[in-house]
Amino acid sequence: MSELPGKKISALNDELTAADPALVGNEALLVALLSGSDDCIKILDLDGRLQFMSEGGKRVMEVDDFPALKGCPWPDFWLDEGNVAAKAAIEACRNGKPARFLSAASTVKGNSKFWDVRVMPVLGADGRPTHILSISTDITQTRTAEMAARESQVQTKVALAAAEMGVWQCRVIDGKFVDLIGDDRAVRMLGGTAGKKASFEEFLARLAPEDRSILAAEAAKAMDPAGDGIMDVEYRIVSGQGAPHVWIHARAQALASTGGKRLIGTVRDVSQRKDAEAREVMLGAELQHRIKNTLAMVSAIASQTLRGDDIADRRAAFSARLQALGNAHDILTAKAWSGAPMQSVVQKALSPHMAGPDRIVLDGPPVELGARQALSMALTIHELATNAAKYGALSVPGGKVLIDWSLGTADAANQGAFRFTWRETGGPPVAEPTLKGFGSRLITRVLAADFEGEVSIDYAPGGVVCTLASSLPTSSVSSLS
């Protein structure tokens, strides 16, 4: 049991006497205290029934008619957990012990507020509780601000996680970075171990050597009082053990701090974007190379086709060859110029000549051609099919063309044995031409060069047979199975 009420009152009177003897027993002082405070001060009986409420309490609780509330059970003002806490506080005061809890409760006019509630026993001369004192402080604004700050922190955390960003900060003293800290995501991005504190020197050791001067220059720029205080830099973290470097985008704001300045910012792994940019540059260079090769091929087609006096026929042949080249480009474009399936290249080149069923038979496994090989194969098929339609197997009803290809197993030097055959049957008798035209030169020179192999054209009496034997690396001609 705490010290007796008489002793406390005596001590209080001594303090008031020291301030001004006229304050001892001054009822005006008590009225001023109760009316001037914005706390809701209440007196309850030992059963928890409301007996008294201060003027300040009536004001903050928006009470216009206190007699209507007098005698009401005080715990009924609180709901749910607050009601339970209020009943527990009354029980504690009956046993001479104070209590405290936080809870929401509405004013008499229905306005919800949040309260910090202190409850304590009022002791009689014998030291036993006679009444209960309740002081409720309105902390709604503070609580709202805390909830808003907490919600903001949650939103920031979720946003950073969604953006895959880490947060870091450090102090800059005499041009040196000290006290480098970050959240787990930032630490992992920077090559450290989550939960383990690391020095700036340890971070610097993981930084790609050629990027250290870039970071130093950007940091100095952020520290410049004449600038905007923004550090925006990309650098690489060395992963080690043969793993690729991790590209990091760091952005920070310099702020004034005790004894120097502080950098606070974010880091984000931009390795995928950097890889995509590198691929874009590579593909741009490759596309430029492809365009030059295509223009050279068009120039060769024009030069070879438009010779002679029969310009109308040659113009038609030129247009057909350009169409075949365009069809091959369509397939390559759909595959982002990474290559084209053999089956698609052959079928696209043969599309003008698919006049009847079983006239042309294709047989071969799924094979991926490189971009250069796809173009020359498309033009080769076009030339063979055009010749067959004019003079060979496709010029008569019973003629057929059999096309097959195969890809052998790569040898020790990673060479794949690719073989292609065009065979005509059932057509008119064939004789080797005395003059070789553009088509023949295209097949024997360009196709052979692009496949790094050997091409032969056999003008057998039963029908033309064209074969290609290549040993290209499997990265240029590869099985899709």
Side-chain angles (χ1 to χ4, degrees), residues 168 177 180 186 189-191 200 203-204 206-216 218 231-238 245-252 266-271 273-274:
W168 63 277
F177 288 14
L180 177 63
M189 284 187 199
L190 299 178
F200 182 75
F203 158 70
L204 202 61
R206 295 190 291 268
L207 192 67
E210 55 270 33
D211 292 345
R212 294 174 187 173
S213 60
I214 299 174
L215 178 60
E218 280 296 320
M231 184 183 79
D232 197 323
V233 63
E234 292 180 348
Y235 50 81
R236 289 162 293 178
I237 296 295
V238 180
H245 294 347
V246 176
W247 272 101
I248 297 297
H249 177 209
R251 185 174 175 85
T266 60
V267 287
R268 184 162 60 95
D269 186 341
V270 293
S271 301
R273 174 172 65 79
K274 284 292 188 178

Side-chain angles (χ1 to χ4, degrees), residues 4-29:
L4 295 175
K7 292 183 178 181
K8 287 190 175 182
I9 293 174
S10 176
L12 176 61
N13 286 336
D14 289 344
E15 293 177 4
L16 290 174
T17 300
D20 186 344
L23 294 176
V24 178
N26 191 328
E27 293 183 0
L29 172 63

Side-chain angles (χ1 to χ4, degrees), residues 67 97 131 153 181 187-188 219 254 267 299 338 453:
K97 297 178 181 179
H131 294 82
Q153 290 176 351
I181 59 174
V187 171
R188 284 192 294 268
V267 287
S299 177
S338 60

Side-chain angles (χ1 to χ4, degrees), residues 253-270:
Q253 174 71 57
L255 301 172
S257 179
T258 304
K261 285 190 174 183
R262 181 181 298 275
L263 280 172
I264 302 177
T266 60
V267 287
R268 184 162 60 95
D269 186 341
V270 293

Side-chain angles (χ1 to χ4, degrees), residues 151-228:
E151 183 178 358
S152 177
Q153 290 176 351
V154 171
Q155 290 176 342
T156 300
K157 186 176 181 179
V158 171
L160 289 170
E164 297 182 335
M165 285 183 173
V167 180
W168 63 277
Q169 63 174 299
C170 69
R171 290 194 298 149
V172 183
I173 299 178
D174 297 331
K176 295 182 179 180
F177 288 14
V178 297
D179 298 335
L180 177 63
I181 59 174
D183 62 11
D184 288 351
R185 190 179 294 107
V187 171
R188 284 192 294 268
M189 284 187 199
L190 299 178
T193 302
K196 181 180 178 182
K197 188 175 181 180
S199 66
F200 182 75
E201 287 70 24
E202 289 175 303
F203 158 70
L204 202 61
R206 295 190 291 268
L207 192 67
E210 55 270 33
D211 292 345
R212 294 174 187 173
S213 60
I214 299 174
L215 178 60
E218 280 296 320
K221 179 181 174 182
M223 295 296 108
D224 186 351
D228 57 8

Side-chain angles (χ1 to χ4, degrees), residues 136-449:
S136 301
T137 303
D138 181 3
I139 59 170
T140 305
Q141 290 185 345
T142 303
R143 177 77 170 185
T144 301
E146 289 176 351
M147 294 295 290
R150 189 173 303 144
E151 183 178 358
S152 177
Q153 290 176 351
V154 171
Q155 290 176 342
T156 300
K157 186 176 181 179
V158 171
L160 289 170
E164 297 182 335
M165 285 183 173
V167 180
W168 63 277
Q169 63 174 299
C170 69
R171 290 194 298 149
V172 183
I173 299 178
D174 297 331
K176 295 182 179 180
F177 288 14
V178 297
D179 298 335
L180 177 63
I181 59 174
D183 62 11
D184 288 351
R185 190 179 294 107
V187 171
R188 284 192 294 268
M189 284 187 199
L190 299 178
T193 302
K196 181 180 178 182
K197 188 175 181 180
S199 66
F200 182 75
E201 287 70 24
E202 289 175 303
F203 158 70
L204 202 61
R206 295 190 291 268
L207 192 67
E210 55 270 33
D211 292 345
R212 294 174 187 173
S213 60
I214 299 174
L215 178 60
E218 280 296 320
K221 179 181 174 182
M223 295 296 108
D224 186 351
D228 57 8
I230 297 293
M231 184 183 79
D232 197 323
V233 63
E234 292 180 348
Y235 50 81
R236 289 162 293 178
I237 296 295
V238 180
S239 299
Q241 299 179 348
H245 294 347
V246 176
W247 272 101
I248 297 297
H249 177 209
R251 185 174 175 85
Q253 174 71 57
L255 301 172
S257 179
T258 304
K261 285 190 174 183
R262 181 181 298 275
L263 280 172
I264 302 177
T266 60
V267 287
R268 184 162 60 95
D269 186 341
V270 293
S271 301
Q272 290 186 345
R273 174 172 65 79
K274 284 292 188 178
D275 290 344
E277 290 174 354
R279 286 195 300 270
E280 186 176 341
V281 172
M282 181 183 68
L283 287 174
E286 181 67 15
L287 181 59
Q288 185 178 19
H289 174 68
R290 299 295 182 193
I291 291 173
K292 288 182 179 179
N293 285 347
T294 300
L295 291 175
M297 187 175 290
V298 171
S299 177
I301 292 174
S303 176
Q304 294 295 328
T305 305
L306 300 180
R307 288 180 178 179
D309 298 328
D310 51 343
I311 190 65
D313 291 343
R314 294 182 181 275
R315 186 183 294 114
F318 178 67
S319 297
R321 285 166 178 162
L322 284 186
Q323 182 63 45
L325 186 62
N327 289 341
H329 273 76
D330 288 343
I331 299 173
L332 289 171
T333 301
K335 297 274 290 182
W337 279 82
S338 60
M342 177 72 177
Q343 184 95 4
S344 298
V345 171
V346 174
Q347 287 178 335
K348 196 77 172 178
L350 289 172
S351 57
H353 306 284
M354 293 290 192
D358 300 328
R359 294 294 304 276
I360 302 177
V361 179
L362 307 182
D363 183 28
V367 170
E368 184 80 3
L369 298 180
R372 191 175 67 185
Q373 291 77 39
L375 291 176
S376 59
M377 178 60 74
L379 290 175
T380 294
I381 295 294
H382 169 75
E383 294 298 326
L384 290 171
T386 300
N387 186 74
K390 288 182 177 180
Y391 314 110
L394 299 182
S395 66
V396 296
K400 289 186 177 183
V401 176
L402 306 176
I403 303 174
D404 64 75
W405 61 88
S406 62
L407 185 65
T409 304
D411 59 20
N414 197 32
Q415 302 290 310
F418 178 71
R419 186 174 183 85
F420 165 80
T421 303
W422 169 287
R423 189 184 307 275
E424 298 181 29
T425 63
V430 174
E432 185 171 354
T434 55
L435 295 176
K436 301 292 178 68
F438 170 73
S440 297
R441 288 191 292 273
L442 169 73
I443 296 170
T444 56
R445 296 179 185 177
V446 178
L447 184 67

